[in-house]
Amino acid sequence: MNYVSTRNKKLRMSASQAIVQGLAPDGGLMTPEVLPRLPGKALLSMKDMSYQQRVVYVMSRFLDEFSARELTSFAAAAYGGNFDHPAVAPVRRLNDSTYCLELWHGPTCAFKDMALQMLPHLLSSSLSKIDEEKTVCILVATSGDTGKAALEGFKDVGKTRILVFYPKDGVSHIQELQMVTQAGGNVGVCAVVGNFDDAQAGVKKLFSDEKLAETLAERGYFLSSANSINWGRVLPQIVYYISAYCDLLRSEAISAGQEINVCVPTGNFGNILAAYYAKHMGVPIRKLICASNENNVLTDFIRTGVYDKNRTFHNTLSPSMDILVSSNLERMIFELADRDDALVCEYMGQLAESGRYQVTAAIHKKIQNLFAAGFCDDVQTKQAIARMWKEAGYLIDPHTAVAFHVLDEYRQSTGDETPCVVVSTASPFKFCTSVLSALGVEEHQEGVEVLGQLAEYTGQPVPAPLAALKGKARRFNTVTEKTGMKDQVLDFLK
Ligand SMILES: *Cc1c(COP(=O)(O)O)cnc(C)c1O
């Protein structure tokens, strides 16, 4: 199967090229030329498969250049003992109509692992398929979660190196420890003086530095990113929606063909886009409920058809959703505009120029049929954490809390009691201080000790990868000014 750019359908390439390139050369996002559908009995036949088998079944429909054998070995490596749950992405029943899909059982305790444990295998194998001889070096600027997940995914994967820049004072103590203790022979981590925007602007500059690219090419390297617009990150996320439906069938929570809703805490629109593709493939999903925090640009877009990023940026308790430009939305618009690439170009041009665009009434109508949307402020986020703990004995993180709040509001306003799968995107132990505050505990212990404090207060175990931080030696100490980032890359790829 070939992939096309959302901004030019004539720009066509193979899956491995699309994965290696990440972004299309025209700035568009690479998307399957034809979206595959699941055969009629597929969901029933996948019901008794393991998660890894479901991965192979689903991904093979998009990646015909990869043999079943290759995909089987990727699935085993990506979703094996590095996950602390045999189901990989287990579905937890809360009541007869509410289920929680837990996507944080991987090595960094957040949902980014679901994609970033798979992407390095796809990328490394894509490089050999296109006969690329150079080694790829992934550069990442991170506000916390993505950097660690990318490091874990790429560590010791052949033909790859990875260098992560994080803002010195812009990540939590635990997030910093997670990164500077990272194992692996091909990894590097460096703090940048400044905030996340400084680190990100610095990395963007490195990507467009032709002199740097030339020097690195002579040394046998080229730079790439592990950004969430890469098709190799979206595809592994489609699997867990299909898998969740199969799990509900297997436990007889629903019967074959029965509709469910999904409620997804959303930032860059990647996770919920995967749910849309799952629906398109044939999973009976009725409504895609898009849950935002106070950065509610998507809520407004779904309700009004106007995307407008000209608004105040809020730092919230759910920082991984603090985003005003949801890049993956472009793939959605492409589908709902019946793949009218010229129209996508027009909208994206307007977004770049004025920060705003309005879709046609026809597109807006489709959006309203598919989606519901809501948002949640920090006070409501804390209330949702406290309520869920008190009423269900279920400890959730702030991102997941946003989704539960939005689901509550949706049910109250619509009366729609369709069984709903709420997507849980991080372990509460990644956000100990926010969770403790939500539970009414205002005095927090220092550093990693706060993990034990939350464990003691709730009686829930600290996830092993976080507990292990305690005794780990620091491997990386480098701090650079923004102007020194290029030298860091040159030094890393000597
Ligand atoms: C990245 C992230 C999200 C948002 O996912 P998108 O794909 O950007 O919508 C939500 N929760 C957590 C914990 C995340 O790390």
Side-chain angles (χ1 to χ4, degrees):
M1 174 194 294
N2 280 316
Y3 285 69
V4 295
S5 165
T6 48
R7 298 192 193 177
N8 177 5
K9 279 180 292 192
K10 295 203 188 84
L11 194 97
R12 196 177 278 121
M13 57 179 85
S14 68
S16 33
Q17 283 171 318
I19 290 166
V20 169
Q21 295 232 348
L23 199 66
D26 61 4
L29 309 191
M30 298 310 300
T31 298
E33 190 167 25
V34 181
L35 289 179
R37 308 255 181 193
L38 291 169
K41 289 266 184 312
L43 292 169
L44 278 175
S45 56
M46 263 190 281
K47 186 171 68 120
D48 295 313
M49 290 184 187
S50 68
Y51 191 80
Q52 294 78 357
Q53 289 170 321
R54 290 171 184 167
V55 169
V56 176
Y57 188 96
V58 175
M59 293 209 337
S60 63
R61 315 221 150 235
F62 292 88
L63 301 175
D64 45 19
E65 295 160 67
F66 293 70
S67 68
R69 211 166 142 180
E70 282 174 298
L71 294 177
T72 302
S73 82
F74 300 165
Y79 307 115
N82 45 349
F83 277 72
D84 72 4
H85 198 293
V88 182
V91 175
R92 182 184 168 120
R93 178 185 176 281
L94 294 172
N95 60 45
D96 278 346
S97 61
T98 315
Y99 300 84
C100 197
L101 172 60
E102 295 181 345
L103 300 180
W104 40 262
H105 288 279
T108 78
C109 307
F111 107 96
K112 302 283 190 294
D113 287 334
M114 299 303 301
L116 281 165
Q117 286 295 306
M118 176 56 79
L119 176 69
H121 302 290
L122 292 173
L123 181 59
S124 162
S125 149
S126 295
L127 287 171
S128 28
K129 283 189 201 298
I130 64 167
D131 293 324
E132 176 61 65
E133 279 167 3
K134 293 196 282 299
T135 294
V136 61
C137 177
I138 305 293
L139 286 190
V140 183
T142 184
S143 55
D145 280 352
T146 304
K148 177 61 183 178
L151 284 163
E152 272 298 319
F154 279 95
K155 85 169 174 215
D156 295 329
V157 172
K159 299 281 280 180
T160 73
R161 305 284 308 266
I162 175 165
L163 179 58
V164 170
F165 291 101
Y166 68 91
K168 187 165 174 296
D169 301 311
V171 301
S172 75
H173 180 69
I174 290 186
Q175 285 176 321
E176 180 175 32
L177 270 183
Q178 278 188 298
M179 290 188 276
V180 299
T181 58
Q182 177 65 46
N186 61 340
V187 306
V189 176
C190 180
V192 180
V193 177
N195 58 26
F196 173 60
D197 284 334
D198 293 313
Q200 189 167 43
V203 164
K204 278 206 176 134
K205 218 167 134 191
L206 296 175
F207 278 127
S208 55
D209 187 331
E210 285 174 22
K211 257 304 220 350
L212 176 65
E214 251 170 59
T215 312
L216 294 181
E218 283 163 16
R219 299 181 186 178
Y221 292 103
F222 71 100
L223 299 177
S224 183
S225 90
N227 204 295
S228 78
I229 43 115
N230 191 310
W231 181 252
R233 277 188 65 175
V234 176
L235 176 56
Q237 298 184 166
I238 300 174
V239 179
Y240 52 70
Y241 288 102
I242 297 173
S243 175
Y245 192 85
C246 294
D247 281 352
L248 291 176
L249 283 177
R250 180 155 68 184
S251 67
E252 296 179 4
I254 55 171
S255 49
Q258 190 179 340
E259 285 190 321
I260 61 167
N261 289 338
V262 297
C263 182
V264 187
T266 307
N268 211 17
F269 210 77
N271 202 349
I272 196 163
L273 175 77
Y276 165 78
Y277 285 137
K279 174 178 164 74
H280 197 282
M281 289 179 78
V283 180
I285 296 173
R286 182 154 181 245
K287 279 279 180 197
L288 302 153
I289 305 170
C290 177
S292 301
N293 63 24
E294 252 187 300
N295 297 296
N296 56 359
V297 60
L298 284 166
T299 317
D300 290 345
F301 173 65
I302 289 167
R303 289 184 181 167
T304 66
V306 177
Y307 195 95
D308 190 351
K309 69 160 190 159
N310 302 302
R311 59 181 71 211
T312 314
F313 177 85
H314 300 279
N315 286 302
T316 72
L317 294 178
S318 43
S320 301
M321 290 152 59
D322 291 344
I323 289 173
L324 289 181
V325 177
S326 305
S327 317
N328 262 308
L329 186 60
E330 182 170 339
R331 286 193 169 104
M332 180 79 218
I333 308 260
F334 180 64
E335 299 305 334
L336 299 187
D338 298 322
R339 304 202 149 204
D340 181 343
D341 48 6
L343 193 59
V344 173
C345 282
E346 195 181 313
Y347 292 155
M348 294 306 132
Q350 288 169 5
L351 181 66
E353 215 157 90
S354 66
R356 182 184 188 280
Y357 62 89
Q358 174 162 22
V359 295
T360 62
I363 295 176
H364 186 222
K365 194 160 165 226
K366 289 188 201 170
I367 292 173
Q368 291 211 306
N369 281 336
L370 288 163
F371 291 90
F375 72 99
C376 177
D377 66 24
D378 279 354
V379 174
Q380 293 164 326
T381 300
K382 284 189 176 182
Q383 285 168 347
I385 293 172
R387 196 171 55 242
M388 194 55 82
W389 176 243
K390 216 167 116 201
E391 288 172 11
Y394 188 44
L395 195 63
I396 54 173
D397 96 291
H399 303 78
T400 309
V402 166
F404 274 106
H405 173 87
V406 168
L407 175 62
D408 267 356
E409 279 194 352
Y410 170 79
R411 283 181 167 161
Q412 272 165 28
S413 66
T414 61
D416 179 0
E417 285 297 326
T418 304
C420 187
V421 171
V422 178
V423 176
S424 178
T425 51
S427 157
F429 284 90
K430 274 207 104 161
F431 301 93
C432 288
T433 51
S434 303
V435 173
L436 279 165
S437 300
L439 301 181
V441 182
E442 288 303 347
E443 287 203 12
H444 304 147
Q445 295 188 5
E446 293 284 313
V448 283
E449 304 301 327
V450 75
L451 292 165
Q453 188 184 4
L454 182 59
E456 201 164 301
Y457 188 79
T458 58
Q460 306 284 309
V462 181
L466 297 178
L469 284 175
K470 224 171 166 175
K472 273 206 179 144
R474 190 179 177 112
R475 289 186 67 203
F476 303 99
N477 282 306
T478 316
V479 182
T480 182
E481 296 289 335
K482 204 168 119 183
T483 47
M485 288 170 69
K486 184 168 172 174
D487 286 339
Q488 291 298 326
V489 174
L490 287 167
D491 196 48
F492 181 62
L493 302 176
K494 270 204 288 269

